[in-house]
Each structure stands twice: as C-alpha cells, then as structure tokens.
Amino acid sequence: MTSAEIRSDVAREAAGPHGHDGAAGATSAEPVWWGWGPAFAHQPLPASVADVLTQLGIPVRPSRPVALADVRLPPVRLSATARHALVAIVGEGHVRLEAEVRVRHCRGRSTTDLLLLRSGDASAAPDAVVLPADHDEVLELLRVATRERIVVVPYGGGTSVVGGLAPPAAQGRPVIALDLRRLDRLGRIDRESGTVELDAGLRGPRVEELLAPHGLTLGHVPQSWEYATIGGFAATRSSGQASGGYGRFDELVVGLRVATPAGGWELGRAPASAAGPDLRALVLGSEGAFGVITRVTVRVHPLPAHRVHEGWRVPDFATGTRLLRDLAARDLRPTVCRLADETETLANLAGPTATDDNDTSDAAASGGGGAGGCRLITGFEGSGAAVAERAARVAEILRAGGATALGPDAGLDWERGRFRAPYLRDALLDLGVFAETLETAGFWSSLPALYTGVRRALTDTLGSAGLAPVVMCHVSHLYATGASLYFTVVSAQGDDPVATWRTAKAAAGEAIVAAGGTITHHHAVGTEHQPWLGAEIGGLGLDVLRSVKRTLDPAGILNPGVLVP
Amino acid sequence: MTSAEIRSDVAREAAGPHGHDGAAGATSAEPVWWGWGPAFAHQPLPASVADVLTQLGIPVRPSRPVALADVRLPPVRLSATARHALVAIVGEGHVRLEAEVRVRHCRGRSTTDLLLLRSGDASAAPDAVVLPADHDEVLELLRVATRERIVVVPYGGGTSVVGGLAPPAAQGRPVIALDLRRLDRLGRIDRESGTVELDAGLRGPRVEELLAPHGLTLGHVPQSWEYATIGGFAATRSSGQASGGYGRFDELVVGLRVATPAGGWELGRAPASAAGPDLRALVLGSEGAFGVITRVTVRVHPLPAHRVHEGWRVPDFATGTRLLRDLAARDLRPTVCRLADETETLANLAGPTATDDNDTSDAAASGGGGAGGCRLITGFEGSGAAVAERAARVAEILRAGGATALGPDAGLDWERGRFRAPYLRDALLDLGVFAETLETAGFWSSLPALYTGVRRALTDTLGSAGLAPVVMCHVSHLYATGASLYFTVVSAQGDDPVATWRTAKAAAGEAIVAAGGTITHHHAVGTEHQPWLGAEIGGLGLDVLRSVKRTLDPAGILNPGVLVP
C-alpha cells in the first residue's frame, strides 16, 4: 500500500467523502459544529479510561454540547447594500446567512473555542459566509469589503487553534468569513521541476487524491490534515508529521498567488534568488492579515515506493533528545520522528490509546514502552535502497546510544492513530475533562530548559488550581540546529476552564520566552500568542508587520487584530 | 589536507595575511585600488592568450590604470560639526578622510566599477570612511547620521558587482562608508546546536581560520570569499561554490543582529517557527537599505574528513543539465557541482586556464573536455563512508546518462583556480579586453529558454556592436526544483564599454524576465538590477520594500536608491 493509499483510507474512514459541492452547510461527512470530525467518527471512551482519570484525581462529569437550536448567535449586521454587492460578485447561493452555516464558521478548533461552542456561545460568528469561485472573485470581494468597511476573515479548514478566525479588532463592523472551498483545482503539473499549482481551498486528503494518479505526493500531513487547506498551511507556516522527509510547508512553497485589498500579487520565479529579501517569506505566516492566498506552487515528490516504521524504547527523554540531535546533526533525519517523554509514553499505555483496539497489554507488546523509558517512533519513506540504507544508519546510531528496537508494530500503531487526537479531545470534553496542546521550538542547547520550564509552568499553574494536570510532551520536528516540543495537557476542568487555561497558557508563554524558544513552532500566532510576539520579533518587528499591513490592507479589513497587534 | 587547510593555503597564496589592524588604508596584502587582490597576485597573461583573443576578433590593446595621484575625487562635503560627532563615537583614528582610503571605498567590483576607477573616475567615492568598533557604535553612528542627514553605505568587503556601494539617491548629502572590518570576532560557539556567532566584518578566510581550531567550518565559499564579509553574505543572500553541501548563506543563518536607524533588532529564537512571517528573510537580502547587520548566528559543520573531486565529460549542455536535474530531484546534490556549456568548456582549454601551469594539452589530459562535449565538475565533502557512498551513487547516475569520468585531476584543477576569475579579469582589462559576468536562476522547466534567451541577448547586442563577444555559461547551484545559470562574457571593449555593457545587460535582463527567471541568483539587486525588480516582485513588492524601509530608516539615510527604488 502506498502512502497515498493509506492516507486516503484514513481519510475515508475518518471523514467519508469530502464535499466539493460549493456549499458551506453540513453534510454527513462534515465535522460536527461543536468539535472535530463527522458525528459517525465519534466514539465514547472505554470505561477503563474514566477509571484511570479518576485515579489521577480528574473527576469525570459527562457533559454534552447544547442543541444547535440553543446556540446564541448575534444578529446579522450586514446591510442590504453590502449584501447585494457581495451577491453581485459570487451569486446568491454563495452568500450564506443561515444560522448553522454561521455557527460552523465560528472560531476555530482550540479547546477554548470548543468549550465556548459547546456551551452555546457563538458570539464570534461571522455575519455571513461568502464563497468565491476564484482568485478574481476574491480580489473583487476585497475591493467591495474595503469600500463597505466589511471585515474579512479568510477561511480554509477552520482548524486554527490560536484564535486566528475571530478577529478582535472588528470594532463593530460586519464580518464575513471568506470560505475558500470552491478554489479546489489542481493547476499546472510541472514534472520537470517537480512542482504543482494547488488552489488554496484544497483540503489535505483531496490534494493526495488529485496527485496520486500522477504518481505524486505532497507529503504534508499535519494532524489537522483531514480538514485543513493548502491556503491555511501556507498562511500559518504549517509543519507536517513527515516534515523530516518532505519539509515544512514553507519549505515546499516555491510560488504564491495572493489577493490583497491593494491588488493581486504573484511571487516566485526561481527556487532561490538574491533579488532583495525573499518576499514569499512575508506571505507565508501572514495568517490572512496581509492578503488571501489563493494558489500556491509547491514542490512535490514521487509517491514513495517504500515505507518503513520502527518503534524504539530509549532510556529517558534527555537521552532520546540527544540521540535525535545526533541524527539531525548528521543529516539523518527520519521522514517521521516522534519521541514521547516519560509521561506521554505512559499515557499511551494507560490512557485512551492511539488505536481503538489497543488495550494496555497490546500496547506494551507492540512497544509502547512498558518496560519504562520513552517511546520513539521513526518512519522512512522513499525509494527502496535509499530507505533501507537510511533506516539502517539511523538504527545503528540509536542502538549505539542505548535505544532498544521494538519492531514496526509500534510505528504502525502510531500511524493508524495519527489523526485521532482531536477526536479523543471531543470524547474527553464529553466526560467533562480538559485537554489542550501547545508547542514551541528552540535550538538544541536550549531544549532542556525549554522542556523543564514549560512543563513546570503548566504543572504549577493547573496543579495549584487543584486540577490534577497530566502534562505530556514529545519532540516531533527535527532540524540540524534544534527541534520542536509539543505539549499535551489533560486536567480537570474546574469552574471556569477557559479562564484557567488562559492563566496556564500565559505561564507557559512566559516560560518559553524565558528559555529562549519560539512562542509557536507550527500553530501560528492568531490572537492567543500575540502577547509574546513582541518578545520574539521585537518592537521593530511589530512595527514592520504593521507597516506591511498598512501597505497591503490600508483599510484594515483583513483579520484585524489577528497576528498584527 | 582538510578543506580548511586548503582554503587557508589558497587565501595565503592569493592575498597574504589579512589585516585586522582596524585601519582602512593599504597594506601589501590589501587589494589594489583599481582591481582585485593584492598587486603581487597579479600576473600578465601568457602571449598565447593574446593570440587566441586576436583570432576571435577581439583586439588586444594594452591599457593600464591611471596613477593613484591622478584619480579625480570630489571634495569632502562633511561639515566640521558632523565630523566631530562621528569622531566622538569612534575616535579620531577611525574617521578617515585620506584620498587613498576614499578611493579604496569607491564603488564595488563590477567591470563597470573597475573601468571607471582605472580611468581615474572616483566621483562616487564616500566623503569619509568610518570604522566603528561594535554594534553599539554602529547604532550611535546611525543616530548621528539621521540627525545630520548623512548618507550611510554599509561596507563589508567592497565586492559588490551590482552597484550596491554607490547610492544614487544621496541627493547632495554627505556620504560615509561604514567599514565594518573592526567587527571581527567569533562569538559564542554552541556546539550542541551546531551554531556560532560571527561578527559582520569577518572575511571568508578569517572565519575559517577562527573555526578550524574548533574542528568546524562554515563552508561558505563564494568566488569573492577572499575579501567578502559575513555581513555582506547575509545582506546580499550570497551563495557559495559548495552550496550543494553546506547550503546558501541565507539557509545557514539562524539568527541576526541588526542596527537600524530605528534601533537595534535581534531575530532568531529557533531553527523554525510559525510566529508570523519569518522576518529574518526580510533582513537577508536587504543590501544595507534597512539596517546594518552587525552579527549573524550561523549553522556550522564539522571540518570534512574527506573530499572527493571528479571531472566528467557530458555529451552536451542540455544532456548535462538534465542529468543535474535528475541528481537534484533524487536529493543527490554534490557539495560542489559545476557544468560548463560548450563554449565555457572550450574556453577552459583554449583560454587562460584555471591554473598557471596548465597548457592546452595538460588541460585536455586532465579532463578539460578536449574530445568535445561539456565539462562537469563534482565535489563531495563530509565524513568518510557518506562521501564515498554519495559520490558512487552520483557517478552511477552520471554514467548511465552518458557522462564519461575524467578522474579527480579536472576537479582539483577547478579547485585550484576557484578564486582566479577576478584576477583574470584584471589581466584582460590590462589588455583592453572586456570581461563581465551575470547570473540568474529558474525552475528546471524554464532553464532551456532562460539559457537560450540570455545567451542570444548578449551575443546579439554585443555582436551587432562589432565586439566579437564570447558568451559562456555554467550551471553552478542546484535545487530540487531548479538551478542557477552563470554567464561570462569576454568581448572587445569598443569606444564606450560602460555604455555598451549597459545595453547588453539590459537586453539580458529583458530576456531573463521573458523566460521567467530571477533577475539575480546571488549577486543581489544593487542599482544594476533595479529596472527588473518590479517585474520580479510586482508593484506591491516594491511598495512593501518601501514601507519596511520607511519604518526602519525613516530619514532614508541607508544606501538610498540601492535595492529599494
């Protein structure tokens, strides 16, 4: 089975066929409005999980979202003039005002977003959802929005976990979500250069479906892959689970087409250039605040002929991290590489596991790390000889460093469960249990302090609130000079989980800044990371972002208050 | 011999010990004021070269630069107040007004620059040369310059070939060259992360001298390596001859310290981030127009234990280019890779060769390509097994594609001559012969049209002027999705070589734009590439550059008219 086949299978299992009908409403394959994935993919957790949670001091209090009819939505503020102007561009059926459509485009998919939605709070919903057909319609919409003082939220998969879809500086102006799902074409395939043009509204699975008949893969598979879009990957500098082999999304992009209120913009005439600063880098990560990315040209790879997965047990997290450093320094990054710390390794055993049919004993047998230490997953994709050779060299270094091979099953287990975490979060929220993630990255020398600092900040804040936090971490993206750390927190909800998490997240943010890391490795800034952006890029950096925004979006209609404070 | 030893040897041979005395005047190891390298490194061309040139229709008319005393310099426009303010910051000895010092900081090292200098035209010389000791002094100088309306030209090695050191929009204001040679320290070595901090004024050879005792190398070796500086590499997005193994300079940079008129700026807390756009990319390539880069943190490598060079003959340039594409697509880029077209291959045989003791028969024997076709050089650096393995895989692909191995001597020949081209240009100018280079890059699919278009533009323009141009080209930097093309032109000078070249260069620029390439792969924009910058980054791109400049340099004192039109 090729990776595209496997990925397609996962997508089918998880979400069914994806709608490309141009409608923004619900179909059975659309995710539930209050969580992740379609209803049929939601399963309650086994009773044993509740037992473990209770033993950890986390009370289980079943809790369901309110009914859709009970969700509180603000009235539509769009004037008839404005509405007609929008309809004149995209047609009647593509300006949607129905309650359900608005709720579905309300906020993103952070735990805070879900807690608010589940409680019936859709106060941040857009007034309308507009579905342009192409780049030119986006340009026209931005002209009308500038004229009519309408705030525009570029909307891809709606999977932001940093508040990137609820602009706080709308200041009473009407807000439209610009849903890009109709921009769904595979453009020019340049076989010689190994690049393809992809429309911004294409979701992860659809891209692989379109590329597979050509023997190609994008290989960009973040956890949000089932729903997130090409435009979103570019706008947030997404990094996929196979970034070690295929690269971060910003490394894959060689060309960009952007619609801005100041006009259209095309960038990228060569893989590398010295024609001044690389302005592609200014669009990548611009989070819908500078313009609407409508198409990207990206590097693609041949579908890998072989894939090898391996599970490993390393003595401890520090040793494992050093081993990964050694691999990265020798330019031996596996395609996939994930090192869980002691807590996450245990949680994979005791908690709700990656796959449905895994019980504790299975997990131990398949290499979850039952004998202590930390679980490491490595994966390699590519052509036959190269994959085997690379895997062998990595295995040699890992063994020499004290790692024990656990066989391919642990790796395949991980792969089967690679998209499950957000579904699991829904199930935990259904039990009244809090679950959220945050991530950072740093240079190798700063990683130990970064790990300790963030862990302590989360544990102390939530612990002193009596919420019995379980704080887990894994390393998941390697670079020659450093790596990312991805933290998962499971805790009791307490009385005001949204406020409590804000406090814990702030403590983690301070710890990241103090330890010299970046406030986000692949989740983007949105509104949630804004308080620490100044520490990261300096006052001058903020001034530069503001000046670029003024140039491209003089009326400040694009995602105001997101990214650029 | 390690590469650092070899590189050090080359540097010693070429230029003697480098001055770090904080003075900006001439020492015996300093380059001549009218050309490249110190006087002792200049050698006349053998008579056989003149014969070949004559046969090609290029007249040989010996021509020497005027005496230094005859160079025409504008009067110093710096007021006493301004001069005292500068002296108060850096000290009396570090504000230099002597004629020779000013002439030495006049313009860069394009052929146009040299033709003007040799004719005694130093009209573009700065009024003074100021040598700050550190970042804080640079910041203070920028404050004073802003207040006193003094134009500041950040000055590293003075090796710009695109007019980057003669700001055209000075508008009568006094101009100082900010010579950064005193910023010459190796800062923190972070062994774990594989990074080091390097001051902006460090020249290529000195960096390797400082790193070698630590077993490290930067591996960034552009042709200008003997004189160009770290700050210049960053400001122009330089690419070294070994970019296939070590990366372009912008890929090596993980952190930057910049002094701007608006204040100090530090960037880079992790190898990768999603904290908004990567603003490091806005400083890299900013060509002294946004700020003065005072320090960079860069990735370094262990000194390579092994180096393998190989010469190849491929049937023709198109076949060779396709073979390089195949290597790059398979992630098998050699550390060094240079494919000469038919003309450049012949010129390497018939013309002045890379090494002094090479005559035509030697060159043929050592693989210059005497049997027709094109010469390809591959080089590999790294640890033992990996180098051999990689070289073997590349060799297999090349052989299968019709290439004939010529043995390591051709590669070593290339290496011995890797820094000789600018010396050779001086010798050609001494014969009254014109020689200049230009470069571009594009995606693989656009490369054939790019090659044909630029070649034709140069040949037609100079040919119709009766200047008997010889236009050569090589591919020298490979990427997965494309490569660079580097053109060398040798021709008669005619009556007004500066104006003639401007016409030819404009035709080449138009051809590059028409074929979809980038106007420059590693030479930067300066003033010479400005006419095509708008075609490359769009009107919006120019507006963005202007807005960033206004934010960081509100008074417009930094290199006005360079890069940003």
Side-chain angles (χ1 to χ4, degrees):
Chain A
M1 218 177 199
T2 68
S3 71
E5 284 165 342
I6 290 172
R7 283 172 199 145
S8 293
D9 273 11
V10 172
R12 263 192 300 280
E13 278 168 29
H18 292 273
H20 301 283
D21 56 356
T27 72
S28 62
E30 285 292 309
V32 293
W33 61 266
W34 47 265
W36 191 267
F40 64 76
H42 283 82
Q43 287 165 354
L45 291 169
S48 61
V49 172
D51 293 346
V52 171
L53 289 166
T54 307
Q55 281 165 34
L56 289 167
I58 301 174
V60 170
R61 295 183 184 127
S63 155
R64 293 291 304 167
V66 302
L68 182 58
D70 294 333
V71 172
R72 301 175 299 282
L73 261 178
V76 173
R77 290 162 300 182
L78 209 60
S79 71
T81 319
R83 195 177 150 265
H84 288 139
L86 298 174
V87 166
I89 298 166
V90 295
E92 184 76 40
H94 297 125
V95 178
R96 308 284 296 266
L97 300 147
E98 305 96 301
E100 181 175 346
V101 177
R102 291 175 63 206
V103 170
R104 287 186 169 280
H105 290 78
C106 179
R107 299 198 179 89
R109 286 298 175 262
S110 72
T111 300
T112 298
D113 292 336
L114 298 189
L115 286 167
L116 290 170
L117 280 174
R118 293 169 65 103
S119 77
D121 177 349
S123 56
D127 295 283
V129 177
V130 180
L131 297 111
D134 55 28
H135 175 82
D136 289 342
E137 285 194 6
V138 175
L139 270 178
E140 267 195 84
L141 287 169
L142 295 179
R143 272 194 288 269
V144 164
T146 297
R147 194 184 68 209
E148 302 285 336
R149 285 181 43 82
I150 299 170
V151 165
V152 176
V153 180
Y155 191 98
T159 59
S160 170
V161 291
V162 292
L165 301 168
Q171 292 163 324
R173 290 174 285 179
V175 175
I176 61 171
L178 203 70
D179 189 318
L180 298 167
R181 71 181 61 196
R182 292 173 69 206
L183 280 71
D184 62 354
R185 283 161 297 256
L186 167 63
R188 179 184 178 212
I189 300 179
D190 180 348
R191 286 206 164 266
E192 212 173 334
S193 309
T195 63
V196 301
E197 293 174 352
L198 296 172
D199 272 2
L202 286 166
R203 287 180 176 177
R206 181 67 182 149
V207 169
E208 299 297 342
E209 277 172 30
L210 289 169
L211 291 178
H214 302 279
L216 299 171
T217 180
L218 177 60
H220 184 72
V221 190
Q223 194 173 68
S224 59
W225 176 77
E226 296 165 77
Y227 297 102
T229 59
I230 289 295
F233 296 151
T236 60
R237 301 178 69 199
S238 167
S239 194
Q241 292 166 345
S243 69
Y246 296 95
R248 290 170 59 87
F249 198 72
D250 50 15
E251 295 171 326
L252 296 176
V253 173
V254 297
L256 287 157
R257 191 176 200 198
V258 192
T260 82
W265 200 15
E266 303 253 2
L267 289 168
R269 295 172 70 89
S273 167
D278 189 347
L279 296 180
R280 295 177 297 197
L282 212 47
V283 174
L284 295 163
S286 59
E287 303 188 24
F290 292 169
V292 181
I293 297 163
T294 57
R295 196 180 66 192
V296 299
T297 308
V298 284
R299 181 183 179 192
V300 288
H301 286 77
L303 276 170
H306 295 276
R307 311 171 75 232
V308 181
H309 279 94
E310 184 84 47
W312 297 86
R313 182 164 47 233
V314 296
D316 54 68
F317 192 56
T319 304
T321 306
R322 274 195 300 274
L323 278 171
L324 299 191
R325 190 218 83 98
D326 290 348
L327 294 180
R330 293 176 206 201
D331 205 12
L332 281 173
R333 299 189 296 166
T335 311
V336 170
C337 187
R338 304 174 82 83
L339 169 69
D341 73 354
E342 286 81 357
T343 313
E344 185 163 312
T345 301
L346 277 173
N348 272 303
L349 290 178
T353 52
T355 52
D356 300 328
D357 55 351
N358 247 2
D359 66 15
T360 305
S361 57
D362 275 356
S366 67
C374 291
R375 188 187 70 162
L376 167 66
I377 303 296
T378 58
F380 299 86
E381 301 187 5
S383 72
V387 168
E389 206 174 89
R390 211 165 168 78
R393 287 177 66 194
V394 166
E396 195 184 318
I397 292 168
L398 292 177
R399 275 204 195 85
T404 313
L406 300 170
D409 286 352
L412 290 172
D413 273 358
W414 169 80
E415 170 145 88
R416 276 194 290 270
R418 66 194 301 181
F419 305 120
R420 294 298 299 164
Y423 297 91
L424 181 56
R425 177 179 55 172
D426 280 341
L428 287 169
L429 292 176
D430 283 346
L431 294 181
V433 173
F434 182 87
E436 183 55 299
T437 65
L438 61 83
E439 34 78 80
T440 178
F443 298 111
W444 290 111
S445 59
S446 63
L447 234 47
L450 200 49
Y451 173 68
T452 311
V454 175
R455 210 173 179 288
R456 185 179 301 140
L458 292 169
T459 309
D460 286 0
T461 328
L462 297 169
S464 66
L467 300 177
V470 179
V471 178
M472 309 168 252
C473 181
H474 63 253
V475 175
S476 47
H477 301 269
L478 313 187
Y479 304 92
T481 59
S484 74
L485 295 176
Y486 190 92
F487 293 88
T488 302
V489 181
V490 175
S491 75
Q493 286 198 7
D495 295 333
D496 187 349
V498 170
T500 308
W501 177 245
R502 196 177 299 130
T503 309
K505 173 103 181 171
E510 296 301 326
I512 287 171
V513 168
T518 176
I519 194 65
T520 172
H521 170 264
H522 60 268
H523 279 175
V525 175
T527 50
E528 297 212 4
H529 290 135
Q530 250 185 12
W532 302 279
L533 187 59
E536 176 129 358
I537 63 171
L540 281 187
L542 296 177
D543 288 345
V544 164
L545 293 182
R546 286 190 195 104
S547 71
V548 173
K549 182 166 175 71
R550 269 195 307 273
T551 300
L552 297 174
D553 176 22
I557 58 163
L558 280 170
N559 245 359
V562 168
L563 174 61
V564 186
Chain B
M1 218 177 198
T2 68
S3 71
E5 284 165 342
I6 291 171
R7 282 172 200 148
S8 293
D9 273 9
V10 173
R12 261 193 301 280
E13 278 168 28
H18 292 272
H20 300 283
D21 56 356
T27 71
S28 62
E30 284 292 309
V32 293
W33 62 266
W34 47 265
W36 191 267
F40 65 76
H42 282 82
Q43 286 164 354
L45 292 169
S48 61
V49 171
D51 293 346
V52 171
L53 290 166
T54 306
Q55 280 164 36
L56 289 167
I58 300 175
V60 169
R61 295 182 186 129
S63 156
R64 293 290 304 166
V66 303
L68 182 57
D70 294 334
V71 172
R72 300 175 300 281
L73 260 179
V76 173
R77 289 163 300 182
L78 209 59
S79 71
T81 319
R83 192 174 153 267
H84 288 139
L86 299 174
V87 167
I89 297 166
V90 296
E92 185 76 41
H94 297 124
V95 177
R96 308 284 295 266
L97 300 148
E98 305 95 301
E100 180 174 347
V101 177
R102 291 174 64 205
V103 170
R104 286 185 169 280
H105 288 79
C106 179
R107 299 198 179 89
R109 286 298 175 264
S110 72
T111 299
T112 298
D113 292 336
L114 298 189
L115 286 167
L116 290 171
L117 280 174
R118 292 169 66 102
S119 77
D121 177 348
S123 55
D127 294 284
V129 177
V130 180
L131 297 111
D134 55 28
H135 175 81
D136 288 342
E137 285 194 4
V138 175
L139 270 178
E140 267 195 84
L141 287 169
L142 295 179
R143 271 194 288 270
V144 164
T146 297
R147 193 184 70 211
E148 303 285 336
R149 286 179 43 81
I150 299 170
V151 165
V152 176
V153 180
Y155 191 98
T159 59
S160 170
V161 290
V162 292
L165 300 168
Q171 292 163 325
R173 291 174 285 179
V175 176
I176 60 172
L178 204 69
D179 188 319
L180 298 167
R181 72 181 60 197
R182 292 172 69 207
L183 279 71
D184 63 353
R185 283 161 298 255
L186 166 64
R188 181 184 176 212
I189 299 178
D190 180 347
R191 285 206 163 268
E192 212 173 335
S193 308
T195 63
V196 302
E197 292 174 353
L198 296 172
D199 272 3
L202 285 166
R203 287 180 175 176
R206 181 66 182 150
V207 169
E208 298 298 341
E209 276 173 30
L210 290 168
L211 291 178
H214 302 280
L216 298 171
T217 181
L218 178 60
H220 182 72
V221 190
Q223 194 174 65
S224 59
W225 176 77
E226 295 165 79
Y227 296 103
T229 60
I230 289 295
F233 295 150
T236 60
R237 303 178 69 199
S238 167
S239 193
Q241 292 167 345
S243 70
Y246 296 96
R248 288 169 60 86
F249 198 72
D250 51 14
E251 294 172 326
L252 297 176
V253 173
V254 296
L256 287 157
R257 190 176 199 198
V258 191
T260 83
W265 201 13
E266 304 252 2
L267 289 169
R269 296 172 69 89
S273 166
D278 189 348
L279 296 180
R280 295 176 297 196
L282 213 48
V283 174
L284 295 163
S286 60
E287 303 190 24
F290 293 169
V292 180
I293 297 163
T294 58
R295 197 180 66 193
V296 300
T297 307
V298 284
R299 182 183 179 193
V300 288
H301 286 78
L303 275 171
H306 296 276
R307 311 170 75 233
V308 181
H309 279 94
E310 184 84 46
W312 298 86
R313 182 165 47 234
V314 296
D316 55 67
F317 192 56
T319 304
T321 306
R322 274 195 300 275
L323 279 171
L324 299 191
R325 190 219 83 98
D326 290 348
L327 294 180
R330 293 176 205 201
D331 204 13
L332 281 173
R333 298 189 296 166
T335 311
V336 171
C337 187
R338 302 172 84 84
L339 169 69
D341 72 354
E342 286 80 357
T343 313
E344 185 163 313
T345 300
L346 277 173
N348 273 303
L349 290 177
T353 51
T355 53
D356 301 328
D357 55 350
N358 247 5
D359 66 14
T360 305
S361 58
D362 275 358
S366 68
C374 292
R375 189 187 69 161
L376 167 66
I377 303 297
T378 58
F380 298 86
E381 302 186 4
S383 72
V387 168
E389 206 174 88
R390 210 166 168 77
R393 288 177 66 194
V394 167
E396 196 184 318
I397 291 168
L398 291 177
R399 274 205 195 84
T404 314
L406 301 169
D409 286 353
L412 291 171
D413 272 358
W414 169 80
E415 170 146 87
R416 274 195 292 270
R418 67 196 299 181
F419 304 121
R420 295 297 300 163
Y423 297 91
L424 180 57
R425 176 179 55 171
D426 281 342
L428 287 169
L429 292 176
D430 283 346
L431 295 181
V433 173
F434 181 87
E436 183 55 299
T437 65
L438 63 81
E439 32 80 79
T440 177
F443 298 111
W444 290 111
S445 59
S446 62
L447 235 47
L450 200 49
Y451 172 68
T452 312
V454 175
R455 208 170 181 289
R456 185 179 301 141
L458 292 169
T459 308
D460 287 359
T461 327
L462 297 169
S464 66
L467 300 177
V470 179
V471 178
M472 310 168 250
C473 181
H474 63 252
V475 175
S476 48
H477 301 268
L478 312 188
Y479 304 91
T481 58
S484 73
L485 295 176
Y486 190 92
F487 293 88
T488 301
V489 181
V490 174
S491 76
Q493 285 198 7
D495 295 333
D496 188 350
V498 170
T500 309
W501 177 246
R502 196 176 299 128
T503 309
K505 173 103 180 171
E510 296 302 326
I512 288 171
V513 168
T518 176
I519 193 66
T520 171
H521 170 264
H522 60 269
H523 279 175
V525 176
T527 50
E528 296 212 4
H529 290 135
Q530 250 185 12
W532 303 279
L533 187 59
E536 176 128 358
I537 63 172
L540 281 187
L542 296 178
D543 288 344
V544 164
L545 293 182
R546 287 190 194 103
S547 71
V548 173
K549 182 165 176 73
R550 270 196 305 274
T551 300
L552 298 174
D553 175 24
I557 57 163
L558 281 169
N559 245 359
V562 168
L563 173 61
V564 186

